[in-house]
Each structure stands twice: as structure tokens, then as C-alpha cells.
Amino acid sequence: MQSPAGILRDIWTSAGGEMAALARVRLTGEEPQIPSSFRVAAAGQASVAAAGLAAAEIWRLRSGEAQDVSVDMRHAVVECRSERYLRVDDKPPPPARDAIAGVYKTGDNRFVRCHTNFPHHRDAVCTVLACEPEREKVQAALMQWKGADFETAAYAAGGVVALMRSYEEWSALPQARALAELPLVSIEKIGEAPPRPWPKGSSKGDRPLAGLRVLDLSRVIAGPVAGRTLAAHGADVLLVSGPELPAIPWLTIDTGRGKLTTFVELKSEAGRAQLRELLKEADIFSQGYRPRALAALGFSPQDAAEINPGIVYVTLSAYGHAGPWAERRGFDSLVQTTTGFNHAEGQAAGLEGPKELPAQMLDHATGYLMAFGAVMAKARQAREGGSWHVRVSLAQTGRWLWNLGRLEDGLKTPDITGDVVHLAFIDAMPSGFGTLKAVRHSALLSKTPAQWSRPAMPLGSHRAQWPAGS
């Protein structure tokens, strides 16, 4: 199997990174770290390191000063489960899932996973099943369905569910074949624009992304992790949400560190005008909604490049930008289920049904890969001009993780205890929610240590404007 350094090398060079930069990276720790037959710890370490190395290269371009990057594997995999270690005024997280979210058996002896953490997704499942939102009633109703038929019907009704497939079943689908033709991180030029000078103020003492402005239109984990990572390296990140949009509060707190947060009503022309004004002054536009949704509001990649030539536009999708599922909604747990991970992990554990990975690794790794792609595209913009489109997906990250290979007896690995985490990797900090104890960033840069200079705040706490002087 490929070493973590080899995994990082492939990510780095696939996006045009110079081989010489890899000599300044130090990866420590050994696999496995947490119980899984998949190489989740190596994947976390390599994706975090890719984003950290990209930031260090920006620092070198801006200041002429090279620096070292080190990532410990245990710290990285802990950060890829940061939401479970977060404490607010020493209180642990509430239940992470809606009461009817999870796995069910269907009438044809298959398994389906329902994601019902957002009310409209829960309502869609209950409408299709014609039942109350109670686990026993959902299970009873599903015994009247074939798994594949329910998956199709639920998506048609606006729900998000997944039929558990084996890897072989998934690989036979047209969507899997479409993903096989795509890179892990796609970076494409989509318009002409002159190179932009780096913002002033990149002297010693700043961080690599100081002065860069990032619009973050994302929710849940992957997209918000990307914004949190860019903020850790100094970017001004403005999280744009809406008062009517459902959110998962604990994740909002964990991924909100370092960000400003504002409400913009995109269904109104006044709100769209607000976002256009913000976009005109942004360097990076990072979004995790289905592409058609933002395109309908006038914020497709091509729209953004016309509003602000030279923009780096980052798109996160569930199943990739090509193939028949390109517009399909999805979350980490569903992508794990439908692409073979839950089946394979269950088999490795000797179970009849599905077993989840021990981290939301598709989410977290994709978040770091989003940040990596955004920074690499920004470096190209500064060097050669143009507007750029970066695309990543949970399913493509899953395909990459699968291809890293399996760990024999990996499921026998003792899990990392909370006591170890809180002794080694946690910092306390103020926030708009109370005192946070949260996992600090695992990419250590020797000249410009990562840090979050803004506290996590409730959604909508700030004005829809960029900070003065950024």
C-alpha cells in the first residue's frame, strides 16, 4: 500500500504542485488509529496536509519565505471527528440525529438509510411512506417496499435516502463509471481575467491567506470545514446563510470558528443584489448547494466569473458533476451507504447489515480537499490570471479512499478515548455560545501557525459586508 507521503504526493502533483515543496512536509504517526478496515487516518492526514502545504506555498509566493509543514496522523483523524469532541461550557453534544434517521430493513430484505435531520427531508420520507415520524411506524411501512423503489420514490419527493449497495453493485452503476473519469479535485479555467496582486500586508506576522476574502455558502460539514480551514490560515471568511434555512446547531458552532456570519435572503432581489456586491469583492466563492439551485438565482460559476472576473469558484456536490446523479442530494452517511463502505465495513465486522465508518471521513477529507483546491486555484490565478472553477464531491473522495486499500484487522484497533483527545488536542476559547473546548488545527506551519482569530458566533451575527481593511 502507498505510504501517507505517497498519497500526499499524488494529491499535490495532480493539482500542479511543485515536487520540491514536498520536502518541507513531515508526516508522523502510524496506521491504524481508529477501528476501521479502511485507511481513514491516512486519508485524514493526507488531506489536511495538502491544504496546509498549499497555504505554506502561498506564504512563500507572498513573502519569499519557505516554511515546514507537519501533520500528526492521530491529531488529523481527531480533527476529522472534531464535532464529537466539541464542548460548550463543558457540555457534550446533544444527539446528532433526528429520531427517525438511520438504517431500516425493507420488504425485499435490503437495507436503506434515511437522512431526516432537516425537517423537509423528514417530511418527504413520511409522505412517501404515509406514516407518522416514529421509528416503529417507519420500519413497518418500509416492509411494504422494495429498497430500490423506496430510494427512487423518496428522492422524487425531495427526500434524501440511500439503498445499501455492495461495492460491486455501486461500481456497475452509470454514476460510478462517470466518477471514474473525473480527478479527485477538478481545477478548470472558466474565464479570462488579469492576474490579481496579492493583498497588501503579507509581511512577517501575517498568515498565508491574510487579506483574501472567502464567501462561504455551505452547511453541515464538508463545505464549512473548508471555510474553517481557510480561516485558520488567515482568510476573511464570511458565512452566508438565511434565517429560514435549517441548520444543525452543534456543527454550526464547531465549523464556525474563525468566520463572520450573516443572513442574506437570496429569494428576494434585494438579497441577491447584496450577494452580488459581496461577490464583486471576493477572492473565493465556496458553495455546497446543488449547482442548479444557485444558477437559478444568478450565481452559477459563469455568472460569478462575469460579476467578478478572476474569482475562484468552488463547488461541492454529493455524487460528482458528471453522470445521471450529478444533481442528486446527499450527505456523507448516505454516500457511504450507497457506494459500498457500509456493506464492506459490515462484512469486515461479521455483521449482516451496514456498519458506518468511525468518522464522517468523506465529509471531512472533502472539506480539506476543497480548501486545497481553492488555494491552488488562487495561486494559479495570481500567476497566470483567469477565473477558475474547483469541483469536489463526497463520492469522488469516497472512490479515492476506497482505492487507498484496506487494513487487515483494522477493526480491532482500540478507539481513541475522549480523555486522550482532551489532554492532547483541545484548546479553550470564547465564543458567542459560551466557552468552547474544541480541536485545534492539525496542520502545523513553522512560520505562520494556524489559528482562528474570530470566535464562533450564532448564524446571522454580522452585517453583510466585508471587514474594513481586509
Side-chain angles (χ1 to χ4, degrees), residues 5 33 56 99 105 117 123 126 136 180 243 269 274 350 363 373 388 411 469:
Q33 290 286 336
K105 216 167 195 180
N117 291 339
D123 292 346
C126 292
E136 296 78 9
E269 179 48 42
Q274 270 188 308
D363 259 331
W388 296 84
L411 281 168

Side-chain angles (χ1 to χ4, degrees), residues 34 41 44-45 47-49 51-52 70-86 221 225-226 228-230 232-233 254-255 257 359-361 363-365 368 416 421 425-426 438-444 450 452:
I34 54 178
Q45 182 183 42
S47 55
V48 168
S70 60
V71 181
D72 176 71
M73 186 180 289
R74 173 158 287 206
H75 191 171
V77 81
V78 163
E79 192 177 14
C80 288
R81 304 200 294 187
S82 58
E83 63 277 358
R84 72 171 62 183
Y85 302 117
L86 178 70
I221 297 180
V225 163
R228 184 180 71 185
T229 305
L230 297 172
H233 294 299
D254 183 49
T255 61
R257 290 175 279 161
Q360 298 277 84
M361 189 51 66
D363 259 331
H364 283 273
Y368 294 115
I416 300 171
V421 170
F425 306 122
I426 298 289
V439 178
R440 61 180 171 269
H441 191 44
S442 54
L444 306 182
W452 291 292

Side-chain angles (χ1 to χ4, degrees), residues 267-309:
K267 292 181 181 177
S268 73
E269 179 48 42
R272 292 190 291 273
Q274 270 188 308
L275 188 61
R276 282 192 292 271
E277 289 304 308
L278 290 168
L279 175 54
K280 286 177 183 177
E281 299 183 51
D283 297 285
I284 296 168
F285 184 103
S286 178
Q287 70 92 11
Y289 297 92
R290 287 185 299 155
R292 191 179 299 170
L294 281 185
L297 299 173
F299 297 100
S300 70
Q302 290 72 27
D303 293 329
E306 290 181 13
I307 294 167
N308 183 356

Side-chain angles (χ1 to χ4, degrees), residues 83-96:
E83 63 277 358
R84 72 171 62 183
Y85 302 117
L86 178 70
R87 300 291 182 268
V88 179
D89 292 334
D90 288 324
K91 296 185 181 75

